[in-house]
């Protein structure tokens, strides 16, 4: 084999290799940057990154702090994906800012739950019970949906949490004449003894030593729940070859078992 022929052959090999560029196939890949919030998501994505590495995909979790927007960073191309939000939040961001972003996979749910120092079930609440609910739109909606699903209230016809929010004005029947106490989530966690029950978001409940699946007297459903967290990418990347590989890494048994053992039910995998 002549040196000239070898040179031509090497050129063909290199050209063929170039066709398979990208994070999942490069010998020295540029890592996929995934925007996350610190704490639980950061810890989980460290495990995801290790699983992905074992499968030949380089993933770099990037912790977004303060008021910086993971959606802005993703839309601008500073990230390849992010994982910190649910679909109603994403839809609102898209509506307000015109982002070209799409969800590609579910990850986990940080369940909101009702807690009580006095009762074991929402059905045990007496007439006129004081019920604490969050005063922000998305979490108030989640609390009202639980009450609806438990048969304590009804909401206006046509209400769908996947496409809108609900407030106390949307309650169309309240047979037990529950007295609703609207307050910030952090306040509800601290003032649980002052009400008969309160809906507390996961982060503040956890800080108060409460775990939804252990201590909650009613926990939101994870099936068909629009408040499940998601992995998001830019529209132009939704069919990129690394997307299913990234999802595969997150949806691995290693990640599932880490979530179950580490957080003891305060966050729940939905895959």
């Amino acid at each position: 084999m002549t040196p000239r022929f070898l040179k031509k052959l090497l050129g063909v090999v290199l050209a063929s290799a170039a066709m398979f560029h990208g994070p999942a196939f490069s010998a020295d890949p540029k890592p996929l940057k995934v925007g996350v919030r610190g704490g639980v998501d950061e810890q989980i994505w460290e495990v995801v990154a290790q699983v992905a590495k074992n499968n030949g995909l380089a993933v770099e979790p990037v912790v977004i702090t303060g008021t910086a927007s993971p959606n802005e960073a993703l839309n601008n191309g500073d990230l390849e994906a992010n994982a910190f939000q649910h679909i109603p939040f994403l839809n609102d961001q898209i509506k307000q800012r015109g982002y070209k972003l799409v969800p590609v996979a579910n990850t986990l749910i940080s369940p909101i739950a009702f807690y009580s120092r006095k009762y074991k079930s929402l059905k045990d609440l007496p007439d006129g019970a004081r019920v604490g609910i969050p005063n922000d739109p998305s979490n108030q909606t989640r609390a009202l949906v639980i009450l609806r699903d438990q048969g304590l209230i009804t909401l206006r016809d046509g209400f769908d949490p996947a496409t809108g929010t609900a407030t106390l004005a949307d309650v169309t029947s309240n047979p037990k004449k529950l007295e609703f106490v609207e307050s910030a989530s952090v306040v509800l966690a601290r003032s649980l003894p002052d009400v008969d029950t309160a809906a507390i978001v996961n982060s503040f409940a956890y800080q108060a030593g409460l775990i939804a699946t252990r201590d909650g007297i009613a926990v939101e459903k994870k099936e068909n729940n629009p408040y499940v967290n998601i992995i998001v990418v830019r529209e132009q990347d939704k069919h990129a070859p690394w997307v299913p590989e990234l999802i595969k890494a997150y949806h691995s048994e290693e990640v599932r078992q880490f979530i179950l053992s580490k957080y003891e039910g305060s966050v729940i995998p939905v895959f």
Side-chain angles (χ1 to χ4, degrees), residues 19 51 61 78 92 101 118 138 143 159 235 238 247 253:
M19 294 174 62
V51 173
D78 297 323
D92 185 63
L101 306 176
K118 305 172 184 177
S138 65
F159 167 69
E235 284 184 358
K238 64 182 179 181
I247 296 170
E253 189 60 22

Side-chain angles (χ1 to χ4, degrees), residues 18-35:
M19 294 174 62
F20 297 94
H21 67 285
F25 305 104
S26 172
D28 184 21
K30 178 183 177 182
L32 293 170
K33 293 183 178 180
V34 180

Side-chain angles (χ1 to χ4, degrees), residues 103-267:
V104 293
N106 293 338
T107 56
L108 53 80
I109 185 168
S110 298
I112 190 171
F114 278 88
Y115 301 88
S116 177
R117 302 293 190 198
K118 305 172 184 177
Y119 301 99
K120 299 295 184 183
S121 167
L122 284 182
K123 298 185 185 301
D124 296 334
L125 293 178
D127 290 354
R130 286 168 52 82
V131 178
I133 59 172
N135 60 4
D136 64 284
S138 65
N139 288 314
Q140 184 163 123
T141 300
R142 296 169 78 177
L144 293 175
V145 168
I146 295 175
L147 293 173
R148 180 197 67 182
D149 292 346
Q150 293 282 323
L152 273 72
I153 63 170
T154 57
L155 296 172
R156 61 177 168 80
D157 290 342
F159 167 69
D160 182 354
T163 58
T165 57
T167 69
L168 293 178
D170 296 302
V171 176
T172 54
S173 71
N174 177 12
K176 287 194 171 185
K177 300 189 184 307
L178 303 174
E179 178 187 347
F180 293 107
V181 180
E182 298 178 86
S183 188
S185 293
V186 64
V187 175
L188 291 173
R190 294 171 181 168
S191 58
L192 183 57
D194 300 327
V195 293
D196 292 298
T197 185
I200 304 175
V201 298
N202 175 69
S203 55
F204 295 111
Y206 192 69
Q207 291 173 17
L210 300 170
I211 293 177
T213 54
R214 183 191 68 197
D215 306 306
I217 64 171
V219 183
E220 69 180 329
K221 300 174 181 177
K222 67 179 183 179
E223 296 79 12
N224 302 315
N225 189 327
Y227 294 100
V228 165
N229 284 12
I230 49 178
I231 298 173
V232 177
V233 302
R234 291 182 295 170
E235 284 184 358
Q236 67 193 61
D237 290 332
K238 64 182 179 181
H239 298 303
W242 52 262
V243 171
E245 294 299 318
L246 184 65
I247 296 170
K248 178 182 175 182
Y250 198 108
H251 287 186
S252 65
E253 189 60 22
E254 294 96 321
V255 172
R256 176 181 171 80
Q257 290 303 321
F258 175 79
I259 295 172
L260 291 174
S261 61
K262 175 73 173 177
Y263 304 110
E264 303 176 314
S266 62
V267 296

